[in-house]
Amino acid sequence: MFRLAPSSDISERDLVERCLSATDQATQRLAQRQLYERYKRAMFSTAYRITNDYDNANDALQDAFVAVFRSLNLFTFQSTLGAWIKTIVVRNAIRKQQLESRFVGIDEVTHDQPIPLPDGLTGAELDTAIRTLPDGARTIFLLAEVEGYAHREIADMLNISEGTSKSQLNYARRLLRQRLHNDYQ
């Protein structure tokens, strides 16, 4: 059986080309497996942060990689392969999460304010506090604050208005402030 070099030794371009131009199905599947293995952990982490559910994150990841392999021939190397895959994973995780929940409506709009973090707060404690946010607010918080998406991009991904994205982010920040303040009093 033909074996490929370890995926860490293969450039992104070579890995994509091997996935697309393999002469037999076994070689193509091996190249696809290497691509999946290279990115699965980081992409699962992204999906899990958005869905806040292990099974939903796995479902979103599976659906995302099916989409990746179906549209790999459209990848133009305008960005890194990882960034392209991450966009697909984020969109799939959002769709999965939207099937499970709805955004919380809020009337009040607050101004952007940094969240004061208590001394001694660990990353695990902050992660736990973020996971307690309502689904819509958590998704927008993660997309804006962790993934670095602009409100316009978030609005397009979630099919909401830019104002809703901003208000949900502020809502998430306010809840985090309250929860962190209450937990560390």
Side-chain angles (χ1 to χ4, degrees), residues 18 35 54 60 63 83 103 113 135-136 146 161 171:
R18 288 178 184 191
L35 188 146
Y54 181 84
D63 292 344
F103 287 90
Q113 297 173 1
D135 291 340
V146 177
S161 72
Y171 176 62

Side-chain angles (χ1 to χ4, degrees), residues 74-91:
L74 302 174
F75 179 61
T76 61
F77 296 94
Q78 297 291 327
S79 66
T80 65
L81 180 60
W84 183 73
I85 293 171
K86 189 176 205 174
T87 299
I88 295 170
V89 169
V90 165
R91 289 185 175 153

